[in-house]
Amino acid sequence: MKSNTGRIQQIFYFFYLITCIVSCGGPAKEKASSPAPQQPNIVIIYLDDLGYGDLGVYGSKAIPTPNIDALAKGGVRFTNGYASSATCSPSRYALLTGSYPWRNKNAKILPGTAPLLIDTAQKTVPKMLKGQGYETAIVGKWHLGLGNGAVDWNKKISPGPNEVGFDYSYIMAATQDRVPTVYIEDGMVVSLDPNDPIGVNYKENFDGEPTGKENPELLTMKWHHGHNNSIVNGIPRIGYMKGGESAKWSDVDMADHFLATAQAYVKSKRDKPFFLYYAMQQPHVPRTPHPRFVGATELGPRGDVIVEADWCVGQFVKTLEEEGLLENTLIVLSSDNGPVLNDGYYDDADTKNGEHKAAGALRGGKYSLFEAGTRVPFITYWKGRIQPQVSDAMVCQLDLMASLAALTGTVEDGTDSQELLDVLLGNSDQGRKDLVLEATGRTAYRSGDWVLIPAYKGAAVNKFVQIELGNAPEPMLFNLKDDPSQQNNLTAAHPEKFKEMLVKYEVIRGAGNFETKPLELK
Ligand code: NG6
Ligand code: CA
């Protein structure tokens, strides 16, 4: 039999343990020297194909963007903010996992039938934030694959966003130009009639279904390259689809629809902080502004949908304000890759562009290893907490993982994400020292003001999108400080710098591990 003293000791130890578990917040590692963790709501507003020069605050004169400009003027506007890739799926993969996309060979532009790209065992931003007591949601474009290979769109679709950390998901599977053209809420196609099941195929058409290629008379928007498979709402898409009539989205209402869903999520009362990934579809093709935005600019639909997106941001921020949440919400706004004008439809984006510089002074665009592929608008806003400023510090969307972990009181290491919380909050200008950039399987390296682009095979300019891709028979070395538009190749003038850059790049990237795949757009 135990003595009384022993029992008291046991009880004491039990309470000591409980206190320890509670105060340590479970499995999360607490940073020794960090300030008290905070739990603001966190919103990432992510645009699709918005270029460095497309916003008023980044120099655009032709597209009024007062609402996003207001965020930038009240927060930090980064001039060296990067997506991780010059295309969508790899950038989104990096944003959510904190891992360089080129570490995953499947991280490339995905068809609508691709399996889930993120391993369900992988670390993700929403999982990390859930561990810190957050509720998590995605509203908008997913484009990171769904299911394990053969999705039945008429049943629960899994794994998907809900299996990699999102408590709530309301998404389009891939892109606005890819089938299936339906919304999916927590794995279920919204408004699906079971008597009209959906079929999706990226290789062959379903019997008797019209296509953009064979039925031009049915089209309200004409395809320029690709985009000639199934027709939905008069718009030819990538991939074939049948059925699901009642579930098909209305393109012109998509922005309002995602906005309303994001607003409803913010308004739903909860006792936990929330993380919302609001992934807008603009200005990706097909550009389908709601009629009330048609003609908002002189640039045709591409300009008009940017105005529409800006309006959505304004409405969304207003909702945060009305709900009394603005002072307690960190907003990060950025884009998944650089701009493109003609991305496959005749929509006047190129013919009506006039003097507008969607990439600002930067060279290249979407798909490119030159700066405009990955350098994008990047804004952080937290009313009353961030001092308005312009920051030249180098930051990447990759860094949100470690930085948001630090914000909420934990440590997230072991990925490519760097903890730059002070930089994101405008308290430091010590950003990244270097970064590997990716575009369609190829990579480049920035260190300080210098950029190294290795030699790559393939066309210098993609003839469909008319963008310089960054392919050249010889490597290129640029100094962005003196030459922001990457016009002067300094490999011969600065051989020592070239060698130094190459060594540093190969340490991260792995020597000889470079692809030379030319971009194929048909
Ligand atoms: C390309 C499409 C382009 C766009 C892109 C993905 C063709 C010819 N082009 O293959 O229109 O959909 O994929 O864009 O099909 S992204 O922003 O999602 O990466
Ligand atoms: Ca994109």
Side-chain angles (χ1 to χ4, degrees):
M1 220 178 131
K2 276 191 175 145
S3 72
N4 259 353
T5 333
R7 195 161 296 142
I8 288 165
Q9 261 176 358
Q10 250 187 354
I11 293 170
F12 191 81
Y13 182 66
F14 174 75
F15 278 110
Y16 173 77
L17 253 184
I18 294 284
T19 318
C20 245
I21 289 169
V22 170
S23 67
C24 293
K29 285 180 274 172
E30 215 154 352
K31 256 178 110 184
S33 62
S34 64
Q38 302 168 65
Q39 306 260 291
N41 305 305
I42 300 168
V43 179
I44 299 178
I45 302 178
Y46 210 45
L47 285 99
D48 193 359
D49 297 2
L50 185 75
Y52 188 78
D54 276 326
L55 300 173
V57 275
Y58 282 89
S60 159
K61 300 266 183 292
I63 308 173
T65 53
N67 296 293
I68 301 179
D69 291 356
L71 291 183
K73 286 179 187 157
V76 188
R77 179 172 74 82
F78 289 94
T79 61
N80 283 292
Y82 285 89
S84 305
S85 168
T87 63
C88 168
S89 309
S91 276
R92 285 161 205 260
Y93 174 83
L95 172 87
L96 291 180
T97 64
S99 281
Y100 274 129
W102 44 264
R103 295 199 192 281
N104 183 337
K105 66 175 179 14
N106 296 322
K108 49 192 177 198
I109 300 173
L110 298 177
T113 45
L116 181 63
L117 182 61
I118 301 173
D119 195 305
T120 52
Q122 219 169 327
K123 293 176 181 184
T124 65
V125 170
K127 268 192 206 173
M128 179 277 291
L129 289 173
K130 256 164 85 90
Q132 295 304 100
Y134 278 69
E135 254 181 44
T136 58
I138 169 173
V139 173
K141 175 175 175 174
W142 176 238
H143 209 188
L144 287 167
L146 292 167
N148 288 321
V151 166
D152 180 344
W153 302 90
N154 306 290
K155 297 194 174 132
K156 175 125 182 155
I157 301 158
S158 173
N162 298 72
E163 286 69 33
V164 296
F166 289 104
D167 294 313
Y168 176 69
S169 65
Y170 195 102
I171 59 166
M172 68 163 142
T175 59
Q176 203 185 330
D177 55 353
R178 284 175 173 76
V179 298
T181 49
V182 295
Y183 299 120
I184 302 167
E185 184 175 35
D186 287 334
M188 300 298 291
V189 170
V190 177
S191 303
L192 179 64
D193 174 358
N195 297 317
D196 182 26
I198 296 179
V200 179
N201 192 320
Y202 270 69
K203 294 211 171 78
E204 53 189 50
N205 195 12
F206 298 94
D207 279 350
E209 296 291 326
T211 66
K213 199 170 189 176
E214 283 146 19
N215 304 86
E217 75 284 0
L218 299 178
L219 302 181
T220 53
M221 196 187 281
K222 292 207 165 12
W223 57 277
H224 175 271
H225 56 279
H227 305 97
N228 55 20
N229 303 153
S230 285
I231 304 168
V232 181
N233 306 332
I235 303 170
R237 317 275 168 159
I238 307 172
Y240 303 99
M241 174 182 177
K242 68 162 187 190
E245 214 43 58
S246 60
K248 285 180 182 168
W249 65 49
S250 155
D251 292 277
V252 293
D253 293 317
M254 182 176 281
D256 286 340
H257 193 70
F258 282 144
L259 170 64
T261 311
Q263 287 171 317
Y265 179 76
V266 162
K267 285 184 187 168
S268 60
K269 298 289 174 232
R270 61 176 69 74
D271 32 3
K272 290 178 175 182
F274 64 81
F275 165 60
L276 173 63
Y277 171 38
Y278 177 16
M280 305 174 86
Q281 88 280 14
Q282 302 105 324
H284 195 282
V285 295
R287 294 152 184 146
T288 53
H290 186 274
R292 66 188 192 279
F293 293 100
V294 172
T297 67
E298 304 279 307
L299 307 188
R302 184 173 186 279
D304 296 350
V305 296
I306 294 176
V307 173
E308 179 188 67
D310 178 74
W311 178 84
C312 291
V313 171
Q315 293 298 301
F316 179 77
V317 172
K318 199 165 147 221
T319 300
L320 287 174
E321 195 157 30
E322 284 166 0
E323 294 295 307
L325 298 171
L326 201 54
E327 278 88 355
N328 191 30
T329 303
L330 168 65
I331 300 174
V332 181
L333 184 143
S334 198
S335 171
D336 66 341
N337 53 251
V340 54
L341 299 180
N342 183 338
D343 205 14
Y345 295 98
Y346 287 97
D347 64 1
D348 290 334
D350 44 4
T351 55
K352 291 194 173 169
N353 188 55
E355 296 299 301
H356 177 62
K357 291 191 165 55
L362 306 179
R363 186 170 179 183
K366 182 175 179 177
Y367 311 110
S368 179
L369 264 188
F370 288 120
E371 285 294 286
T374 44
R375 195 151 16 128
V376 287
F378 198 126
I379 295 162
T380 56
Y381 177 89
W382 184 354
K383 191 176 180 193
R385 293 298 304 270
I386 290 182
Q387 292 304 313
Q389 63 196 273
V390 176
S391 172
D392 297 332
M394 196 199 313
V395 292
C396 179
Q397 292 160 11
L398 264 182
D399 303 324
L400 289 170
M401 174 74 123
S403 306
L404 296 178
L407 173 69
T408 56
T410 187
V411 177
E412 195 58 86
D413 44 19
T415 67
D416 299 303
S417 185
Q418 291 186 10
E419 197 269 88
L420 298 175
L421 181 60
D422 279 342
V423 180
L424 294 178
L425 298 183
N427 299 325
S428 161
D429 58 2
Q430 299 301 302
R432 274 183 168 265
K433 293 198 167 38
D434 64 358
L435 179 66
V436 174
L437 304 166
E438 189 267 351
T440 63
R442 304 155 300 146
T443 50
Y445 178 62
R446 174 165 177 182
S447 175
D449 290 327
W450 295 84
V451 173
L452 167 77
I453 303 182
Y456 286 109
K457 290 180 199 149
V461 176
N462 179 277
K463 66 173 192 247
F464 295 110
V465 295
Q466 288 295 322
I467 287 174
E468 289 185 292
L469 300 175
N471 296 324
E474 299 297 332
M476 294 179 272
L477 178 72
F478 300 104
N479 185 313
L480 294 175
K481 196 164 181 207
D482 308 331
D483 179 24
S485 308
Q486 298 178 296
Q487 297 298 311
N488 307 313
N489 183 358
L490 300 175
T491 42
H494 291 268
E496 290 309 314
K497 192 70 193 175
F498 175 72
K499 241 188 259 162
E500 177 202 316
M501 292 284 287
L502 195 61
V503 169
K504 282 157 93 181
Y505 168 62
E506 288 189 346
V507 167
I508 305 175
R509 187 70 175 87
N513 184 19
F514 315 128
E515 301 211 2
T516 52
K517 190 179 52 175
L519 173 64
E520 283 169 34
L521 290 173
K522 35 185 179 18

